[in-house]
Amino acid sequence: MATMPTPQTATRVASGGRLVFGKPGKAKGGRLLVRSCDNGGRGGNGRRVTVEAVNGAVKLNGAAVVADVRQVPAPPPPSSVDGGGDVRLGKFVEGRLLYRQQFVIRSYEIGPDRTATMETIMNLLQETALNHVMCSGLAGDGFGATRQMSLRKLIWVVTRINIQVDKYSRWGDVVEIDTWVASSGKNGMRRDWIIRDRSTKNMIARATSNWVMMNRETRRLSKIPEEVRQEVLPFYLDRSIIAADADAGGRKIEKLTDSTAEHIRSGLAPRWSDMDVNQHVNNVKYIGWILESVPLDVLEDYHLTSITLDYRRECRQSQLLESLTSMTTTSSPATSRCSADLHSTHLIRQQDDGAEIVRARAEWRCKEHRRAMKQP
C-alpha cells in the first residue's frame, strides 16, 4: 500500500515575505502546532526564524506578533432579492397580485434601426411570465408549470397574444415590465403585461394573451383541474390592459391562401435552437418567420406597432414551413404609401400539406424620418 504524504501547512513570515512549510505536530491540550525553522533570509544571509502557529495564534521567535498569516473567509452567500435568492431582480407589488421586473436592452436585442425588435419584446414578456411563476413559489418541474400541473403532466400553451407598441426602446435603455394573470372562461387563463420606460415611467407597450392546458405526453388539451385552479386563484387580478374592441373585438383573423397572399416565402426550417423545453417551437420564433414574407421596403420604412397571433397547432423541428403575407393601406391609391398606416394579414403553414400553424394580423406605422423624406 502506498504511503500517504505527510500534510504540510503554509505560513507567510512577515519579515522575509516567504512561505515556509513545517510538519504539523501536537502541542499541549491536543492543539495543532506548526513550526518552521528555516526561513533562509534574503540574499542567502542564513538567518533562522522560528514561527509557531498554534490554533491560529502566531509567534515569531517566541514573541507574539501580528504576522501576515490570514484565513481567507468564504465568499458570502448570494444575496436574496425579494426572497428569490437569485438574480431575477423581480418583485411583487399590490399585495403579490402583480409581478414587476426590469431589463436593460442589450446590443444583440436591437435591429438595423438600433431599436429593440418585436422578438425582443416577446422574449422579455415570456421571461417575466416565467419568473412570475418561479418567484410566486408555485413552480413545479415544468416550463412555467405549477406543482399540481407537474404532477398531472400538464403544461401551458398560448392560443392568442396581442402586443401593441407605442415606442421601441434603444440599446442601453432600461424597461420595467408588470405582469399579472386572470381567469379566461372556464378553462383558460389570461396574462397581461405593461412595459414602461424606467427613466420616464411612461408606458411604451402593452400585451394580453390567452392560455390553455395541454398534456405534455398526449399533446391533447385539458381542462384546468380544481387543484391547479386553487393554486393560481390567489394570484388572479381582474384587470385588463387591452380592451376587447382594441383588438378588433377578438374577431377571427382571415385565412390567407395562394390566391389571396401577395407574398409567399417557402422553405423555412425550424432549427434545434428554435425548440423549447416543451418539445415544440417557441412561440416567439414565429415573429421572425412572419417577417420573412413582408416586403423589404415595409421593414425599412415602417414600425410594427401591433400584432395579434392566433396559434392553431404545434410545430415540430422536422416540418418545413411557408410564410404568407398580404398588405393593405388605409390611404387612397393616390396617396404616398408612407404617409398612411398599413395593415397586414399573415399565415404560417406546413409546406407539405398546408396545415395552419399560426394566423396573424398586424398594423404598421411609418417611421417619422421616412415620412419626412417622402413628403413633398
Side-chain angles (χ1 to χ4, degrees):
M1 178 179 294
T3 302
M4 296 297 293
T6 303
Q8 292 185 325
T9 301
T11 304
R12 184 178 296 277
V13 181
S15 60
R18 296 177 55 190
L19 285 174
V20 293
F21 295 87
K23 296 181 180 180
K26 288 289 185 179
K28 294 181 179 180
R31 297 174 301 168
L32 179 64
L33 172 65
V34 177
R35 291 174 183 257
S36 176
C37 299
D38 185 11
N39 184 46
R42 293 186 177 180
N45 59 14
R47 293 181 59 190
R48 296 176 60 83
V49 178
T50 300
V51 178
E52 294 182 356
V54 182
N55 286 355
V58 179
K59 291 185 177 182
L60 179 63
N61 288 340
V65 297
V66 181
D68 187 17
V69 181
R70 300 176 184 145
Q71 284 186 337
V72 179
S79 61
S80 174
V81 180
D82 194 41
D86 51 33
V87 294
R88 285 188 175 84
L89 302 181
K91 63 180 181 180
F92 283 93
V93 295
E94 295 191 23
R96 296 180 65 83
L97 294 177
L98 187 148
Y99 181 76
R100 178 172 295 164
Q101 186 168 2
Q102 295 182 353
F103 299 91
V104 60
I105 303 301
R106 310 292 185 178
S107 60
Y108 50 82
E109 296 174 323
I110 61 175
D113 59 358
R114 300 173 180 265
T115 61
T117 64
M118 181 63 79
E119 287 177 279
T120 293
I121 293 175
M122 288 193 67
N123 277 320
L124 295 182
L125 298 183
Q126 180 172 270
E127 181 70 9
T128 309
L130 291 171
N131 287 341
H132 179 197
V133 177
M134 186 69 66
C135 293
S136 69
L138 296 179
D141 61 358
F143 198 51
T146 68
R147 293 188 180 90
Q148 291 296 327
M149 289 174 62
S150 296
L151 290 174
R152 292 163 174 78
K153 301 178 181 179
L154 298 174
I155 59 175
W156 288 112
V157 291
V158 60
T159 59
R160 186 180 180 94
I161 185 168
N162 172 237
I163 304 174
Q164 298 179 8
V165 181
D166 299 322
K167 178 185 177 182
Y168 283 90
S169 301
R170 292 185 169 273
W171 175 26
D173 288 352
V174 179
V175 297
E176 181 179 85
I177 303 180
D178 290 354
T179 188
W180 64 93
V181 293
S183 63
S184 177
K186 293 183 178 180
N187 284 294
M189 184 182 74
R190 192 188 78 242
R191 177 177 286 278
D192 289 359
W193 298 266
I194 294 176
I195 304 181
R196 297 184 183 90
D197 183 283
R198 191 186 67 171
S199 61
T200 65
K201 297 301 181 181
N202 292 331
M203 183 169 62
I204 58 177
R206 71 199 79 187
T208 187
S209 60
N210 292 99
W211 301 74
V212 295
M213 288 189 179
M214 172 187 285
N215 186 291
R216 69 169 179 258
E217 292 186 354
T218 66
R219 316 310 284 187
R220 293 183 178 180
L221 297 184
S222 168
K223 294 182 178 180
I224 298 181
E226 186 59 30
E227 294 82 357
V228 176
R229 195 184 307 277
Q230 293 304 314
E231 280 185 310
V232 298
L233 188 60
F235 295 90
Y236 279 176
L237 176 62
D238 189 14
R239 179 185 301 170
S240 298
I241 190 58
I242 297 179
D245 57 355
D247 184 27
R251 63 178 172 82
K252 187 176 180 180
I253 300 175
E254 175 189 356
K255 178 183 177 180
L256 290 181
T257 64
D258 290 337
S259 59
T260 58
E262 299 172 349
H263 310 277
I264 300 178
R265 175 70 183 275
S266 302
L268 301 173
R271 302 167 299 176
W272 174 253
S273 60
D274 296 329
M275 310 297 288
D276 65 21
V277 298
N278 288 328
Q279 304 304 313
H280 59 205
V281 170
N282 189 301
N283 64 80
V284 178
K285 301 299 181 179
Y286 296 104
I287 295 290
W289 291 327
I290 285 172
L291 298 181
E292 285 292 325
S293 59
V294 174
L296 181 59
D297 61 338
V298 173
L299 299 177
E300 291 177 337
D301 294 347
Y302 286 81
H303 283 303
L304 178 55
T305 58
S306 174
I307 188 167
T308 301
L309 298 100
D310 275 345
Y311 297 91
R312 308 183 75 81
R313 71 176 61 205
E314 291 186 284
C315 179
R316 302 302 181 92
Q317 186 188 1
S318 60
Q319 299 168 338
L320 279 180
L321 305 177
E322 287 184 321
S323 175
L324 289 71
T325 290
S326 177
M327 308 291 305
T328 58
T329 180
T330 59
S331 63
S332 64
T335 306
S336 172
R337 187 168 77 170
C338 203
S339 64
D341 294 338
L342 296 178
H343 298 269
S344 59
T345 305
H346 309 270
L347 174 67
I348 301 295
R349 68 186 183 188
Q350 293 178 188
Q351 186 168 308
D352 56 353
D353 60 3
E356 295 181 75
I357 305 294
V358 174
R359 292 187 190 184
R361 177 175 54 241
E363 297 178 3
W364 306 76
R365 184 180 63 244
C366 186
K367 298 175 182 177
E368 291 302 323
H369 68 284
R370 294 286 185 177
R371 191 188 302 270
M373 290 172 57
K374 295 198 175 187
Q375 285 180 346

